[in-house]
Amino acid sequence: MKIKITDFIENVQEGKFNQTSLEISKDDLLQEDLWSLNKAKEQLEKDAADNKLSQVLIHVADAEFEINFYLETGVINLPFDDAKKVTHFFDDDAEVDTKIYLSTACDYLNASKFHIDLISENLPENAEIKYAMDIMKGNYETSVENFNNKEEEKEEK
């Protein structure tokens, strides 16, 4: 889908995008069950067909800490929260193709508590869905490890 940069920023800032929320269990995530990403893919395809931006939130419901994954139709590797910064990379009147990005937000992931990956140059194919799941699982496992290390540090003190 093509979109003008000014339209992209305006739509995101005004909340003019479809937002879908899904919950996944940590067992489904660790077993790499693709149901949540296949559901997300369906929504992304539907929204693209309607020429709408899309954000699919996948929340790990039973994690020991807050961790969320976002699949978004973006124009550059920035989350919707940073849509205003897109003007640093494009002219306002530029028309660009949207891409699919996967963002991970978790206090225990890394120092920035955030990571973003390009998943697809257009709508995700099955291999890209599998790639997204691999990233989600890896980011969750890293967060669990960091969370457990912080708990051990507290106990030692």
Side-chain angles (χ1 to χ4, degrees):
M1 173 174 99
K2 284 200 171 292
I3 191 167
K4 259 179 92 171
I5 293 300
T6 51
D7 293 341
F8 174 80
I9 294 168
E10 181 180 313
N11 288 342
V12 171
Q13 288 183 326
E14 293 178 9
K16 293 180 185 173
F17 56 88
N18 280 351
Q19 187 175 37
T20 307
S21 295
L22 301 170
E23 287 194 348
I24 187 173
S25 70
K26 60 185 177 187
D27 286 343
D28 281 352
L29 182 61
L30 292 171
Q31 293 168 15
E32 299 183 45
D33 188 324
L34 299 177
W35 74 265
S36 62
L37 286 174
N38 286 327
K39 203 131 177 82
K41 179 184 175 193
E42 287 173 22
Q43 188 62 50
L44 292 166
E45 288 171 346
K46 182 183 177 305
D47 293 342
D50 293 341
N51 253 357
K52 291 190 172 182
L53 295 174
S54 186
Q55 179 188 66
V56 180
L57 161 66
I58 301 174
H59 173 71
V60 183
D62 57 348
E64 304 83 349
F65 46 81
E66 191 76 15
I67 183 165
N68 293 305
F69 302 98
Y70 300 87
L71 279 165
E72 297 175 332
T73 47
V75 294
I76 195 164
N77 62 340
L78 289 170
F80 277 6
D81 289 346
D82 291 333
K84 213 177 216 174
K85 295 178 183 174
V86 169
T87 57
H88 298 299
F89 304 95
F90 298 101
D91 292 331
D92 288 353
D93 57 351
E95 187 172 78
V96 298
D97 287 316
T98 58
K99 298 173 180 157
I100 306 297
Y101 292 93
L102 171 69
S103 301
T104 306
C106 179
D107 287 348
Y108 299 98
L109 181 59
N110 55 30
S112 68
K113 303 175 184 185
F114 181 82
H115 188 79
I116 189 166
D117 293 278
L118 173 65
I119 297 302
S120 178
E121 294 284 335
N122 40 47
L123 292 173
E125 300 295 327
N126 289 341
E128 293 163 325
I129 291 295
K130 173 74 174 96
Y131 173 62
M133 178 54 75
D134 291 344
I135 292 169
M136 289 169 59
K137 180 182 177 190
N139 286 348
Y140 174 74
E141 290 172 338
T142 298
S143 298
V144 167
E145 190 177 314
N146 292 339
F147 175 78
N148 289 336
N149 288 342
K150 281 197 185 324
E151 292 299 307
E152 289 171 16
E153 286 174 17
K154 282 182 188 174
E155 289 172 13
E156 288 176 9
K157 289 180 182 178

